[in-house]
Amino acid sequence: MSRFQVKKVAVLGAGVMGAQIAAHLVNVKVPVMLFDLPAKEGPKNGIVTKAVEGLKKLKPSPLGVAEDAVLIEQANYEEHLEQLRDCDLIIEAIAERMDWKLDLYKKIAPFIGKHTIVASNTSGLSITTLSQALPEEIKPRFCGIHFFNPPRYMYLVELIATPTTQPIILDQLEAFVTSALGKGVVRAKDTPNFIANRVGIAGMLMTMKEVENFGLGYDVVDDLTGKKLGRASSGTFRTADVVGLDTMAHVIKTLQDNLSEKTDPFYPSFGTPAVLKTLLEMGHLGQKAKAGFYKKVGRDIQRFDLSTRSYVPAGEKADAVYERMLKKPAGERLKLLRDSEGAQGRFLWAILRNSFHYAAVHLAEIADTARDVDQALRWGFGMKQGPFELWQEAGWLDVARMVQEDIDAGRALSKAPLPRWVFEGPVAKAGGVHTPQGSWNPTAAQFEPARQLPIYAVQYFREGMLGDGAPNPKTAGVTLHEDRDIRLWTLDESRHSATGSVLIASIKTKMHAISPGVAEGLIRAVNLAERDYQGLVIWSGDEPFSAGADLQAMLPGFMMGGVAVIDMAEKELQNAMLKLRYANVPVVAAVRGLALGGGCEMAVYSARRVAHVESYMGLVEVGVGLVPGAGGLTYIARRAAENAASSTGKDIVPFLTEGFTAAAMAKVGTSAMESRKLGYLLDSDIIVPNKDELLYVALNEARAMYQSGWRPPHQRQFAVAGRSGKATIQGQLINMRDGGFISQHDFDIASRIANVVTGGDVEAGTLVNEAYLMTLERQAFCALLESPKTQARIMGMLSTGKPLRN
């Protein structure tokens, strides 16, 4: 069978979701047409044009770089339906109205290609009912595809089959969504709101009901139900504001309209909360309306008070005792909360009990396996663990008994008992629903492994479940060296195998910060790779790639030995970077998440970068009153010289401007694409949509480079802009300072950056080497470290985590 390829996608509907789905397709280089109704006045594509322009203004940005909005091809249903024939995938994303969707399907049906997959992005309408408007020959190629908002950032995509959907269509679409779009796919049954919204929104409604029962404030509840509980930091009510209260109300209505007490024993809890009704009546739809459960007034955040229909000061926190309880091991934590005398503790137990109860009662109805529920809640609602994972970790039968006791005592929100499989048979014997054999399927009454589509073969460390025995990147493979800062290892014992021919360096420090031990470990890694392997990949398994140099580790040395100690430490870091650049095997940096400061320098000094699409790179040392000190400014100067040398002009300054500005303003790329614009990724570097494919691609890239006859670059001299170039930059800085745009200390730091990137007090065009510029870097770094204002910035960052501007 020929390989399924998606050469072009049509998105029908230029509303919030449709436009953002189109934007994400552009981010991952998939050609896309965005359709909507013809405008009644002006150009026929006016509705789509407005939506595309709106994408540039949204925060967080749906586009990797705003100017890529032009790549979305604009279309309307009156003039361009014929072009649907050229699309391999059509995603319908119009408003959640069954009648509108059915009318649209009848309109487009004659123009759908013979092999085109058609999918509806609905948050809860029946996919089977929608399919009935399509001709018989299209029904096998129709399914549901539910993106979560915002589509660029939310990892979850639910796929929903109808009884007539061909299985191969789901497999093909899952492969495309996983690899090309970089998402995590969960297959849901065709039930109201599918899996994530069914369980998640029901959970939010039940939480709101318990809030009323226990009389807690929204700010306290959000403090309790955010990171402290292992959930999204926005908690319950801030999450509702972000989602949009009108959107939430629509999903609630889907539950209300399609369920009843006969089909869902929790149905009495699904009434629209009085506070939500009131906010909707007032037009307070959440973040997009600048008012919902919360409202920002100046710099202050206020919360809504239902009794007065007005806003009052917010910011109240949970009692510290419950924060301590939530840090206990899972089993002890749940028992403490259940036995708690305070309202906050009993509230926490109630919402956790409700989540276990609801998930168990509905598992067979909404999903194939418990894995699907836990992944949907993790990926769609930002939970660290799904309900079944937490239940299993806390002790399956112990928790089950506590939940059933509450049900029997009338303390739960439903009288429905836990299913028999909870207490009897394989699950009880295994101590939970996730095992090395697979996750529990209550319909088949067996444990089922995760789907093994070919695309998952390239995910060496596919995201697993607690208890499933999935390989752990921290212990997998063969360890060749390990200390507290770094691990050097291979995937396979054989040095000549497909996976074992490349050495992997994994940083172990907090936030993968670059300590002296990491620098030493990288030098060791290069030496080992040069001796025995085809390449070296720097990959640490999770985010971030590296948040930069470990400032805290430097301070004791500075206090004891002054700048001489720091100068020596910075020189060691620079040596490590040069070791990466001039290694006799290719060094590939597998970048995901933050690559800041020293992390950015580690990436740019590697021979190649393989970056996840959500990679945020930048030289941010200005935020702590310093300059990049491990070769970052030297890299900017060298790249400017190389770019100038390949152009017709001889002036280096224009090629230096962007790099200087990025460093002086601590600019961070807000995507891999923007990081490429800033010069931290090159056109030759690879951007990978799916985080779990990063290691596979990096290893392959290192191996291919080696097998293509890799040799490191020559250690050449290069021209610098000199004192005249510095004067040009300095003039602009003086204007910014005198205009009040930057402080005097910002001016001093930027001036030192300018001095380094232009080569110091030399003539324009003077040839220098990297060692010369790195010496200037260290001098600037050490001089600033002695400045009281820089020291204040460093202490401010270490104590608050936020930059101090002085």
Side-chain angles (χ1 to χ4, degrees):
M1 181 179 289
S2 60
R3 182 168 67 91
F4 173 68
Q5 298 181 62
V6 177
K7 297 176 183 176
K8 195 169 191 177
V9 176
V11 176
L12 311 183
V16 173
M17 284 300 290
Q20 292 198 54
I21 291 169
H24 187 62
L25 287 162
V26 165
N27 291 338
V28 294
K29 295 186 176 180
V30 177
V32 59
M33 296 182 73
L34 180 61
F35 281 77
D36 212 300
L37 295 166
K40 293 179 180 178
E41 297 179 1
K44 289 288 179 71
N45 287 338
I47 294 173
V48 176
T49 301
K50 184 178 180 182
V52 170
E53 287 301 308
L55 290 171
K56 301 176 186 178
K57 303 169 187 173
L58 286 177
K59 297 294 179 187
S61 176
L63 291 156
V65 285
E67 50 265 43
D68 279 354
V70 73
L71 299 175
I72 298 174
E73 189 176 346
Q74 301 181 20
N76 65 78
Y77 302 131
E78 184 178 300
E79 299 177 306
H80 305 110
L81 286 179
E82 191 66 38
Q83 295 183 47
L84 289 176
R85 300 186 195 278
D86 300 326
C87 297
D88 305 292
L89 172 63
I90 297 172
I91 300 173
E92 172 270 305
I94 69 170
E96 292 283 272
R97 282 274 302 269
M98 180 72 74
D99 53 342
W100 291 0
K101 289 177 185 284
L102 295 176
D103 286 345
L104 180 60
Y105 293 176
K106 291 171 185 175
K107 182 183 290 187
I108 67 170
F111 304 95
I112 295 173
K114 292 182 179 180
H115 304 289
T116 303
I117 295 176
V118 183
S120 174
N121 180 68
T122 172
S123 60
L125 295 179
S126 168
I127 304 301
T128 302
T129 303
L130 287 171
S131 73
Q132 292 170 3
L134 292 167
E136 291 301 317
E137 65 271 17
I138 297 175
K139 286 182 180 179
R141 293 178 274 124
F142 178 77
C143 65
I145 182 170
H146 181 207
F147 288 84
F148 273 65
N149 190 26
R152 171 184 164 184
Y153 301 96
M154 295 302 290
Y155 190 57
L156 176 65
V157 171
E158 293 175 313
L159 296 183
I160 309 97
T162 74
T164 54
T165 307
Q166 285 185 345
I168 192 171
I169 295 297
L170 266 291
D171 290 349
Q172 290 173 337
L173 194 53
E174 180 167 346
F176 170 72
V177 170
T178 299
S179 191
L181 303 191
K183 301 301 180 185
V185 170
V186 166
R187 294 195 188 181
K189 293 184 179 180
D190 190 10
T191 55
N193 289 347
F194 313 127
I195 297 175
N197 273 345
R198 177 71 177 273
V199 179
I201 296 298
M204 290 180 77
L205 282 170
M206 292 188 289
T207 296
M208 290 181 184
K209 195 166 186 66
E210 298 291 5
V211 168
E212 293 175 5
N213 292 342
F214 288 96
L216 301 177
Y218 307 139
D219 42 6
V220 171
V221 170
D222 280 349
D223 191 41
L224 286 168
T225 60
K227 281 189 175 180
K228 292 172 183 174
L229 198 61
R231 297 184 178 182
S233 57
S234 50
T236 300
F237 294 100
R238 279 191 180 87
T239 296
D241 276 354
V242 171
V243 169
L245 303 191
D246 52 343
T247 302
M248 185 177 174
H250 173 80
V251 179
I252 292 170
K253 191 172 188 305
T254 303
L255 288 177
Q256 294 167 344
D257 291 349
N258 294 281
L259 297 172
S260 66
E261 289 194 52
K262 289 183 179 179
T263 57
D264 192 318
F266 293 80
Y267 188 79
S269 298
F270 295 164
T272 306
V275 63
L276 183 57
K277 284 182 182 176
T278 301
L279 287 168
L280 291 170
E281 288 168 3
M282 296 173 69
H284 294 183
L285 306 182
Q287 187 170 280
K288 60 189 172 187
K290 303 190 184 304
F293 286 102
Y294 296 95
K295 181 171 75 169
K296 191 171 184 181
V297 180
R299 293 187 176 183
D300 298 327
I301 302 295
Q302 297 185 345
R303 64 173 173 83
F304 186 68
D305 180 83
L306 180 60
S307 62
T308 62
R309 293 171 65 96
S310 62
Y311 288 84
V312 299
E316 190 177 349
K317 299 292 184 182
D319 291 344
V321 65
Y322 300 110
E323 184 174 1
R324 292 194 293 272
M325 282 186 189
L326 290 172
K327 291 178 180 178
K328 300 285 186 182
E332 185 180 351
R333 182 193 324 156
L334 294 189
K335 288 188 176 84
L336 284 170
L337 293 173
R338 188 179 187 235
D339 295 338
S340 173
E341 294 182 2
Q344 294 178 22
R346 288 184 286 119
F347 162 77
L348 284 170
W349 161 251
I351 64 170
L352 291 171
R353 175 202 64 216
N354 295 341
S355 70
F356 303 148
H357 190 189
Y358 194 84
V361 166
H362 290 290
L363 174 58
E365 175 194 351
I366 64 175
D368 288 332
T369 70
R371 179 192 310 106
D372 297 322
V373 172
D374 279 346
Q375 286 182 331
L377 271 294
R378 267 200 212 170
W379 300 342
F381 280 79
M383 293 185 180
K384 188 177 179 181
Q385 292 178 303
F388 289 117
E389 286 182 289
L390 175 57
W391 183 348
Q392 183 166 330
E393 184 186 7
W396 184 264
L397 287 176
D398 286 344
V399 174
R401 291 187 190 102
M402 289 194 295
V403 172
Q404 190 60 53
E405 284 173 11
D406 276 17
I407 297 168
D408 295 340
R411 290 188 289 267
L413 294 181
S414 168
K415 296 178 181 178
L418 291 174
R420 287 183 61 185
W421 57 260
V422 170
F423 294 101
E424 302 172 6
V427 171
K429 186 176 180 182
V433 291
H434 302 304
T435 71
Q437 293 75 42
S439 293
W440 182 247
N441 180 331
T443 304
Q446 63 183 24
F447 294 107
E448 288 187 1
R451 272 185 308 284
Q452 295 300 320
L453 298 178
I455 189 60
Y456 294 123
V458 304
Q459 295 186 0
Y460 293 140
F461 298 99
R462 184 180 177 187
E463 195 170 325
M465 291 281 117
L466 175 83
D468 68 1
N472 183 344
K474 294 180 180 179
T475 56
V478 178
T479 300
L480 302 163
H481 167 80
E482 186 168 13
D483 55 39
R484 70 176 186 176
D485 290 337
I486 202 164
R487 178 182 179 229
L488 308 180
W489 59 291
T490 63
L491 271 176
D492 192 283
E493 198 164 344
S494 168
R495 293 174 183 166
H496 305 291
S497 73
T499 56
S501 56
V502 176
L503 184 66
I504 304 168
S506 295
I507 299 171
K508 296 170 55 182
T509 54
K510 185 178 180 181
M511 298 289 284
H512 303 145
I514 303 173
S515 64
V518 169
E520 184 181 327
L522 291 173
I523 292 172
R524 181 195 289 265
V526 171
N527 291 336
L528 183 57
E530 287 178 333
R531 190 186 74 195
D532 292 334
Y533 294 92
Q534 294 182 6
L536 170 66
V537 166
I538 304 172
W539 177 84
S540 301
D542 55 5
E543 296 187 45
F545 175 70
S546 173
D550 189 348
L551 275 176
Q552 208 152 7
M554 285 186 178
L555 290 181
F558 175 65
M559 299 300 291
M560 293 175 64
V563 292
V565 173
I566 301 302
D567 183 78
M568 194 185 317
E570 284 298 298
K571 193 169 194 317
E572 286 303 309
L573 280 176
Q574 292 174 344
N575 288 341
M577 300 306 165
L578 292 174
K579 187 77 171 176
L580 298 177
R581 174 165 165 76
Y582 294 110
N584 283 306
V585 289
V587 178
V588 176
V591 181
R592 174 184 164 202
L594 300 177
L596 303 179
C600 183
E601 289 166 320
M602 182 166 59
V604 300
Y605 274 86
S606 298
R608 187 69 49 85
R609 286 137 298 277
V610 172
H612 180 236
V613 67
E614 296 301 334
S615 294
Y616 311 101
M617 304 179 68
L619 299 170
V620 296
E621 286 83 354
V622 168
V624 288
L626 294 169
V627 301
L633 300 182
T634 300
Y635 167 80
I636 289 170
R638 176 175 59 77
R639 285 290 300 161
E642 291 168 350
N643 290 333
S646 62
S647 76
T648 55
K650 294 185 178 179
D651 186 4
I652 297 173
V653 173
F655 298 94
L656 196 59
T657 302
E658 180 128 38
F660 163 78
T661 303
M665 303 297 290
K667 281 188 180 179
V668 176
T670 57
S671 65
M673 293 73 79
E674 192 172 22
S675 296
R676 178 177 274 163
K677 276 188 67 180
L678 294 176
Y680 301 132
L681 295 176
L682 307 181
D683 288 341
S684 56
D685 294 330
I686 298 170
I687 296 176
V688 179
N690 194 298
K691 61 183 177 62
D692 292 333
E693 295 177 25
L694 194 62
L695 179 60
Y696 171 84
V697 176
L699 291 171
N700 273 356
E701 187 67 11
R703 197 157 37 246
M705 291 168 71
Y706 176 87
Q707 292 169 358
S708 300
W710 164 260
R711 297 291 300 174
H714 288 292
Q715 298 191 36
R716 298 178 183 274
Q717 289 188 319
F718 49 89
V720 290
R723 63 177 72 91
S724 61
K726 179 185 175 183
T728 300
I729 296 172
Q730 196 84 6
Q732 296 169 348
L733 292 175
I734 290 170
N735 289 338
M736 291 180 71
R737 181 197 61 192
D738 293 349
F741 297 103
I742 59 175
S743 69
Q744 178 62 45
H745 195 48
D746 288 327
F747 174 82
D748 294 340
I749 297 167
S751 297
R752 291 182 187 276
I753 292 174
N755 184 64
V756 177
V757 298
T758 57
D761 190 17
V762 296
E763 291 290 331
T766 299
L767 297 178
V768 302
N769 59 22
E770 287 166 310
Y772 167 79
L773 287 180
M774 284 183 168
T775 299
L776 294 183
E777 272 191 47
R778 294 198 310 277
Q779 290 171 353
F781 188 94
C782 291
L784 284 167
L785 196 56
E786 291 186 298
S787 163
K789 287 194 173 183
T790 285
Q791 291 170 12
R793 286 193 183 188
I794 292 172
M795 296 312 295
M797 178 64 77
L798 291 177
S799 60
T800 68
K802 297 178 182 179
L804 169 69
R805 288 297 177 196
N806 56 1

